[in-house]
Amino acid sequence: MTFSRHALLCLCASFTAGAWAVDTAERHPIYDATTPRIPIIQPKATKLAITTASDKRLTVGSAYPFHQEITPEAMKLQGWRGERCSGQLAISTEYNSARISVRCTPLSQNGEEIPASVRMIRYVEAGGTITADVISSEDTCNHAVGVHRAVWYEVNIPQDAKPGRYTGIVTASAPGCKPVEQQVELEVIDAELPAPKDWKIHLDLWQHPQAVARWHDVEMWSKPHFAIMRPLMKRLAEAGQKCITCTILDEAWNGQTYDWFPSMVRWVRGKDGVMRYDYSGLDAWIHFMHDDIGIREQISCYSMLPWHLKVKYFDESTGKWAEMKAEPGEPSFEQVWAPFLRDFHRHMQEKGWAEKTCVAIDERPDEMVREAMRLVRENAPSFRIASAVDKPSELTREVYNISPVLTHAGSTMGALLRERKAAGKKTTFYVCMQPLVPNTYTTSAPAEATWLGLFAAANHLDGFLRWAYNSWTKNPLQNTDFGSWTTGDCFLVYPGNRTSIRFERLRDGIEEFEKINLLRSRASESPEAAAIIDSMNVRLAAIFTVERSSRRSHAQDVQMARDIVSETLQSLEALK
């Protein structure tokens, strides 16, 4: 399938120091899909209302949550020290448009304060609906007739916060209206979640630096490019990310994204017929992600087995780009890859990265994977194999990092999972175009994203993989659809370092993953503690199963899991 893409724009961009002073996060107009519904002249609102909006999607055309009488009720949050707590609010101006603003007080308890923030959630077109998903940085926006404005409330509990009950207020205002208030209550639990750099989850969300360059009209690997990527990739690191996504050839996925996925290694065949490899782009990217951003566990290199089974190179004899086939089972496969692997292995050893490097493979048949594994063992013995595969096969025991789709994750559990853990191997799972539920699409119920982290924890898996962190569409702030993919499948965050409801809820599930594993580490304290942890494990395993995953009970499942975690902590503390 061929898609229209505009990757070459970024290659032509050149900026002076003066031009760089422009706010690059906003080189494109700020967009909200409700904008066409807002008149040029804004009438004053007649009445404001604000309420909690649970974790349901707010969409244009839906009356929720003002479909019934609103009763004053505090937004109630609970978290460990070091945890992020958040919630969605909704504002209504009844029948008129208006320019509305929100603000919030710190959360306070007996003179102690915890800062909080409140931001507007922007709407995007998604699969035929207009839905709230983009968590912006603004606290003011134009509000359309017939739309309930979604608002995001967030608090990052300091690790030294005193336990107890904190209260705060969110205030919404608009010209001509009496401001309205929403009470917030936060219970800080006497338990500590470590900083994200110390989280154990093996999170692998694939990055796409070319998309950032194209959207912001900057040159790949330039100082402006890295400056723009820094907060976006820091956000990823602060969710527990462990893997750096690298490309060692051009378009490993044969053009399945709007933006080009170029090789970070430049293959050059000299006039003497000898192939040379320029690693400067790859090195710049890895140094940035590894040293600056702090993602240091795994370097995933795609791929010896691209979907097109071709390698693009520059031929100095002709002065043109050319391609060569490299298909497993054919002599050309070894002729192409053995010299590269030897040189690449030498280079990564010199950089100190060889032990972290994985030759990454995406959805390739066993006979191809075996050939790749053989060449890696013979020519790059420090490298390992990472494979995302629909359904694990007999090769599952051999691959260092295996990630089946959720619906086949059960095939890696039980005795096989214990065997892999004992061997120091990583076992995760993924979602993509399947299953439709649970997932992290723009239209997915937010609790589905949280459910994924709890599924990993309940089943003792090492983590989670998702193929696209930021493979943006042409204008992701306007529309999250792309090609035949389910809307939002290609990315979880937005340009300008804007997060989303689904990314934040995925991060919530990762925090629950960490809490569950911290509690498990206390099983060795006593036989009584071990029994408490056993009970927790049994209860969680009964909820988070492959069979239950497609049910529409994710919000209830998440709440049950949180109750189990809370009860387990209380029971352990009672033993002291």
Side-chain angles (χ1 to χ4, degrees):
M1 186 178 294
T2 302
F3 300 113
S4 172
R5 295 176 294 157
H6 304 283
L8 293 178
L9 287 174
C10 70
L11 301 178
C12 303
S14 176
F15 292 90
T16 64
W20 180 237
V22 175
D23 182 359
T24 55
E26 305 300 352
R27 295 192 68 83
H28 299 261
I30 297 175
Y31 190 87
D32 187 297
T34 63
T35 300
R37 296 167 173 261
I38 301 176
I40 295 176
I41 300 174
Q42 298 294 323
K44 292 183 178 180
T46 56
K47 184 179 180 182
L48 278 177
I50 186 170
T51 188
T52 58
S54 182
D55 247 2
K56 294 183 180 179
R57 286 282 177 189
L58 267 64
T59 58
V60 171
S62 171
Y64 177 83
F66 296 97
H67 60 296
Q68 58 189 10
E69 184 177 353
I70 299 300
T71 57
E73 185 175 308
M75 170 187 278
K76 296 184 178 181
L77 305 172
Q78 184 186 79
W80 291 15
R81 289 176 281 116
E83 187 174 354
R84 177 179 297 172
C85 296
S86 56
Q88 182 178 240
L89 300 170
I91 298 172
S92 172
T93 58
E94 291 200 339
Y95 303 108
N96 287 345
S97 299
R99 185 160 181 80
I100 57 176
S101 300
V102 290
R103 65 182 187 276
C104 65
T105 66
L107 292 155
S108 61
Q109 172 196 231
N110 299 326
E112 300 284 336
E113 289 191 347
I114 298 176
S117 66
V118 61
R119 294 168 286 170
M120 297 297 183
I121 303 175
R122 293 187 173 275
Y123 285 77
V124 290
E125 299 168 16
T129 66
I130 299 178
T131 185
D133 189 57
V134 187
I135 300 176
S136 70
S137 58
E138 301 88 22
D139 59 10
T140 302
C141 72
N142 290 337
H143 182 68
V145 173
V147 178
H148 301 316
R149 174 56 55 183
V151 175
W152 192 254
Y153 181 88
E154 181 177 294
V155 55
N156 291 281
I157 304 174
Q159 289 177 312
D160 61 354
K162 291 186 178 180
R165 180 177 170 273
Y166 292 74
T167 59
I169 296 173
V170 176
T171 303
S173 58
C177 290
K178 180 181 178 181
V180 291
E181 295 181 347
Q182 171 66 50
Q183 300 290 323
V184 180
E185 295 179 4
L186 169 68
E187 182 183 4
V188 176
I189 304 299
D190 190 12
E192 184 174 340
L193 192 67
K197 66 181 180 62
D198 297 317
W199 290 357
K200 303 303 181 185
I201 192 166
H202 192 85
L203 182 65
D204 187 5
L205 306 181
W206 299 357
Q207 309 100 58
H208 197 163
Q210 175 71 28
V212 179
R214 185 267 305 177
W215 175 262
H216 292 287
D217 303 322
V218 295
E219 185 178 354
M220 281 283 285
W221 313 136
S222 64
K223 287 184 179 180
H225 187 207
F226 284 118
I228 294 166
M229 287 195 294
R230 184 167 289 108
L232 188 71
M233 298 306 163
K234 280 285 187 184
R235 182 182 298 282
L236 179 59
E238 289 169 1
Q241 176 74 7
K242 298 297 187 294
C243 305
I244 305 171
T245 307
C246 302
T247 51
I248 55 175
L249 49 65
D250 201 60
E251 279 294 4
W253 297 278
N254 204 25
Q256 72 168 9
T257 54
Y258 180 82
D259 288 293
W260 180 33
F261 243 122
S263 177
M264 296 176 184
V265 178
R266 192 169 187 263
W267 296 57
V268 180
R269 174 173 286 168
K271 293 181 179 180
D272 57 2
V274 176
M275 193 71 74
R276 303 193 308 272
Y277 315 99
D278 179 356
Y279 302 109
S280 55
L282 180 77
D283 290 349
W285 171 242
I286 296 176
H287 274 299
F288 169 71
M289 293 294 282
H290 187 280
D291 303 337
D292 188 353
I293 302 302
I295 299 173
R296 296 173 180 160
E297 186 170 306
Q298 181 175 311
I299 299 170
S300 303
C301 298
Y302 293 90
S303 170
M304 284 179 66
L305 298 174
W307 291 4
H308 47 62
L309 296 175
K310 297 176 183 177
V311 176
K312 188 176 181 180
Y313 65 94
F314 184 78
D315 191 333
E316 289 185 337
S317 297
T318 63
K320 297 179 180 179
W321 288 94
E323 289 181 342
M324 52 188 173
K325 288 286 288 184
E327 189 168 346
E330 298 294 329
S332 61
F333 189 68
E334 187 159 352
Q335 291 165 4
V336 168
W337 285 109
F340 172 80
L341 286 170
R342 289 192 292 269
D343 193 76
F344 189 36
H345 188 253
R346 171 199 56 78
H347 178 77
M348 298 303 270
Q349 284 183 314
E350 291 174 356
K351 301 294 289 186
W353 298 331
E355 302 295 330
K356 300 179 179 183
T357 301
C358 286
V359 173
I361 298 170
D362 185 23
E363 301 291 0
R364 299 284 83 189
D366 278 7
E367 60 271 19
M368 289 187 178
V369 178
R370 284 195 184 280
E371 278 294 291
M373 292 174 70
R374 179 183 65 82
L375 286 185
V376 170
R377 282 195 297 263
E378 293 174 358
N379 298 280
S382 299
F383 292 177
R384 295 178 287 191
I385 300 291
S387 178
V389 61
D390 178 58
K391 186 176 182 179
S393 66
E394 60 186 35
L395 277 178
T396 301
R397 282 182 168 82
E398 301 178 44
V399 174
Y400 162 67
N401 186 334
I402 193 76
S403 188
V405 71
L406 185 151
T407 48
H408 292 142
S411 60
T412 62
M413 296 177 190
L416 176 58
L417 180 58
R418 291 191 292 272
E419 175 187 319
R420 289 182 54 80
K421 283 182 178 289
K425 297 178 178 179
K426 297 295 183 183
T427 311
T428 66
F429 76 101
Y430 74 85
V431 296
C432 56
M433 287 270 293
Q434 57 172 310
L436 289 176
V437 175
N439 217 302
T440 58
Y441 304 134
T442 321
T443 51
S444 296
E448 292 179 31
T450 309
W451 197 97
L452 297 170
L454 283 160
F455 176 83
N459 292 287
H460 301 266
L461 295 167
D462 294 305
F464 174 69
L465 180 150
R466 190 74 169 80
W467 80 269
Y469 176 61
N470 68 304
S471 287
W472 293 325
T473 56
K474 182 179 180 180
N475 186 346
L477 294 173
Q478 177 177 349
N479 194 311
T480 63
D481 299 351
F482 179 70
S484 60
W485 309 149
T486 307
T487 189
D489 186 49
C490 300
F491 58 95
L492 289 164
V493 292
Y494 292 86
N497 189 32
R498 294 177 174 92
T499 186
S500 68
I501 293 176
R502 50 209 169 104
F503 182 75
E504 292 303 317
R505 287 299 176 242
L506 177 64
R507 191 183 186 280
D508 288 349
I510 292 167
E511 288 185 323
E512 296 300 329
F513 177 100
E514 296 299 322
K515 288 155 71 173
I516 289 166
N517 282 286
L518 283 169
L519 293 175
R520 283 175 177 154
S521 70
R522 296 183 59 177
S524 60
E525 292 177 356
S526 68
E528 292 80 7
I532 292 169
I533 297 303
D534 284 345
S535 174
M536 177 190 75
N537 288 337
V538 169
R539 295 168 71 190
L540 290 173
I543 299 170
F544 296 93
T545 66
V546 171
E547 294 72 25
R548 282 178 55 89
S549 65
S550 60
R551 299 182 184 180
R552 304 278 180 172
S553 60
H554 302 95
Q556 297 94 314
D557 291 351
V558 168
Q559 188 55 55
M560 283 193 291
R562 286 176 168 155
D563 291 343
I564 291 168
V565 168
S566 180
E567 292 164 12
T568 301
L569 176 63
Q570 292 175 15
S571 298
L572 290 171
E573 292 300 300
L575 296 177
K576 293 183 176 179

